[in-house]
Amino acid sequence: MDQVVRVSEAEVLPDLGDFPIDDGILAKFPPGTQVVSANRYGLSQWTITARLHVRFPDGQTNRYFLKTAKGEVGRRLMEGEFHAISALHNVDNLFAPKPHAWGKRSGPGPETYFFLLQYIDMSDRFPNPNQLCRRLAQLHRNSVSPTGKFGFHINTCQGKTQQSLEWESSWAVLFTKMLKHVAQEDNKTNGHWEALDQLESRIFSHVIPRLLGALESDGRSIKPCLIHGDLWEGNTGTTFDTGNIYTFDAASFYAHNEMEIGDWRCFYNNIHNKVYTRTYLKNYAPSEPKEEWDDRNRMYSIYYNILYSVNHGSQGTAIRQVAFEDMYYLVDKFAPFAAGEGPLRLDQSQRVAFPTEADHTATKFGSAESSAYAAKMREGVGS
């Protein structure tokens, strides 16, 4: 069981496990490293995952979480997550597992990419609000953008969708570009919706410049903060030994810190529970103008909901409709249409029910997807 095994994708490892380890993966370890075991581990919607146990030439052993994905999408996922987790770990090495490497698998077949990171045993409990929010606020406060701007040096992925994160001095400018990008992807994935297109145009031309522009006008400024970018309960875990909370599956970039908790407004996540938002705001006060905090939170949630629609296609129709209604709310408040000019609002007959199995607040382990996250949190880091 100590020999190094190099096999093709099609072969199974009867002695060392059921996950093949090739030269591309082994090249990320010191020469002479031996595979103790490699087994498929957990479930994931976008990747194939495994747990790898190796012995180094000096006799020391270590375990790693390994995920792989095929094609150009796989390359973007693995490279993006490596850099996102690296950035988080560099600010707080107890808030994200230590990344090891990413690269391309060798051998025949479709191009396949991988990401290796520290394996940590974790429980399946929901994150403690006080601990999570304190650590998150600390991350936001202590992080420093390497350029002094908003964005990231690579376009990380949220789900399977790549974000548009080119460096910008203005947060309002970057957020506009980000939302335009995911709106275009939503249009490609789910088809053109004229009423939504009208609202998006109004959001870009009037609402964002007014609502987010206020953060950087009249002598005000905001700090570019490193955010996780996809922080819900399924992307956290609590260690068995110390009770420390780790985060993973990051889509990080430097943003307005309030962008982080826009995802918590989304009703289908358990972190939607208002105790998390209230606790975070005790650790990091709202930006000025404070009275517009909830409107900014709604705006940021629109981004996450459109991304959900892109990543889940027709299963995200109900969430696309939530984004539509939130856009209409903000347009009505900050840049209302002239009488008779706005798009028709949704009526009851047009509303689509959100799938129960995708609602993590309705059932914790009620679907293949939520079972995957449950297994991941119960047994270690996953996708």
Side-chain angles (χ1 to χ4, degrees):
M1 291 182 63
D2 293 338
Q3 75 272 27
V4 173
V5 176
R6 299 180 173 93
V7 296
S8 71
E9 281 287 333
E11 291 181 286
V12 175
L13 308 180
D15 295 324
L16 303 186
D18 60 7
F19 197 89
I21 302 299
D22 57 34
D23 287 338
I25 295 173
L26 285 171
K28 300 301 181 180
F29 297 102
T33 298
Q34 299 173 319
V35 176
V36 177
S37 64
N39 292 283
R40 293 186 183 276
Y41 177 79
L43 299 172
S44 170
Q45 192 162 10
W46 320 117
T47 64
I48 297 173
T49 56
R51 180 168 54 191
L52 174 63
H53 189 189
V54 300
R55 178 176 290 113
F56 299 115
D58 64 2
Q60 298 293 314
T61 65
N62 206 350
R63 293 186 297 172
Y64 296 88
F65 190 83
L66 169 65
K67 56 172 62 177
T68 66
K70 294 179 180 179
E72 179 59 22
V73 171
R75 185 195 65 77
R76 294 198 301 260
L77 287 171
M78 300 300 99
E79 183 180 18
E81 187 174 351
F82 172 79
H83 287 281
I85 293 292
S86 295
L88 292 174
H89 184 80
N90 287 341
V91 177
D92 185 347
N93 61 14
L94 292 179
F95 200 52
K98 184 178 181 179
H100 181 72
W102 82 280
K104 182 179 176 182
R105 297 196 68 160
S106 61
E111 285 191 348
T112 303
Y113 296 85
F114 65 89
F115 171 45
L116 285 159
L117 73 163
Q118 175 188 11
Y119 176 87
I120 301 172
D121 285 319
M122 298 185 188
S123 75
D124 64 352
R125 75 181 96 161
F126 294 129
N128 176 277
N130 289 317
Q131 185 184 356
L132 175 66
C133 295
R134 177 179 55 79
R135 297 288 298 283
L136 190 62
Q138 192 174 49
L139 170 75
H140 295 162
R141 192 170 287 110
N142 292 345
S143 57
V144 177
S145 168
T147 64
K149 298 180 179 182
F150 300 93
F152 207 56
H153 65 281
I154 190 171
N155 291 330
T156 59
C157 295
Q158 222 265 28
K160 63 180 178 180
T161 303
Q162 192 172 43
Q163 303 183 101
S164 181
L165 301 175
E166 296 81 6
W167 294 111
E168 293 288 350
S169 298
S170 165
W171 168 239
V173 170
L174 177 62
F175 184 80
T176 299
K177 289 183 175 181
M178 291 172 59
L179 186 56
K180 280 185 177 180
H181 170 70
V182 297
Q184 290 166 358
E185 293 300 308
D186 181 51
N187 191 62
K188 293 177 190 175
T189 302
N190 296 306
H192 182 67
W193 180 5
E194 178 60 30
L196 179 62
D197 185 64
Q198 286 181 260
L199 285 177
E200 287 170 347
S201 295
R202 195 81 169 172
I203 289 288
F204 297 139
S205 64
H206 290 75
V207 179
I208 293 177
R210 162 60 186 84
L211 180 59
L212 301 190
L215 294 165
E216 301 171 297
S217 63
D218 298 328
R220 290 185 289 262
S221 64
I222 52 174
K223 170 183 177 287
C225 300
L226 182 66
I227 67 170
H228 178 282
D230 189 13
L231 191 56
W232 64 289
E233 78 276 1
N235 287 344
T236 70
T238 304
T239 58
F240 289 106
D241 53 354
T242 65
N244 183 58
I245 292 177
Y246 278 88
T247 62
F248 35 87
D249 289 350
S252 299
F253 59 101
Y254 291 89
H256 180 208
N257 68 292
E258 293 175 7
M259 178 73 183
E260 184 86 271
I261 59 175
D263 202 8
W264 299 1
R265 195 183 189 101
C266 302
F267 68 86
Y268 43 84
N269 295 332
N270 277 294
I271 292 183
H272 173 71
N273 187 314
K274 292 187 184 300
V275 66
Y276 288 98
T277 298
R278 288 198 299 264
T279 304
Y280 177 81
L281 292 176
K282 289 179 181 177
N283 285 274
Y284 206 125
S287 301
E288 295 288 354
K290 291 184 178 181
E291 64 273 14
E292 294 179 357
W293 178 88
D294 189 67
D295 296 317
R296 295 192 298 268
N297 186 251
R298 188 186 299 269
M299 175 63 76
Y300 297 152
S301 75
I302 288 170
Y303 178 79
Y304 290 107
N305 281 330
I306 293 292
L307 265 170
Y308 188 100
S309 177
V310 176
N311 283 325
H312 296 87
S314 61
Q315 287 189 328
T317 300
I319 305 307
R320 197 185 197 200
Q321 292 181 342
V322 170
F324 176 91
E325 293 186 321
D326 281 341
M327 287 185 192
Y328 227 135
Y329 175 91
L330 292 173
V331 167
D332 281 345
K333 184 168 185 177
F334 292 101
F337 291 104
E341 290 187 1
L344 292 176
R345 299 174 189 269
L346 289 172
D347 62 40
Q348 195 60 38
S349 66
Q350 295 173 301
R351 297 180 190 277
V352 175
F354 186 64
T356 302
E357 63 272 14
D359 185 351
H360 303 128
T361 66
T363 172
K364 189 174 180 183
F365 306 141
S367 68
E369 181 182 8
S370 57
S371 294
Y373 285 119
K376 170 180 63 178
M377 291 189 289
R378 182 168 55 250
E379 301 183 59
V381 177
S383 135

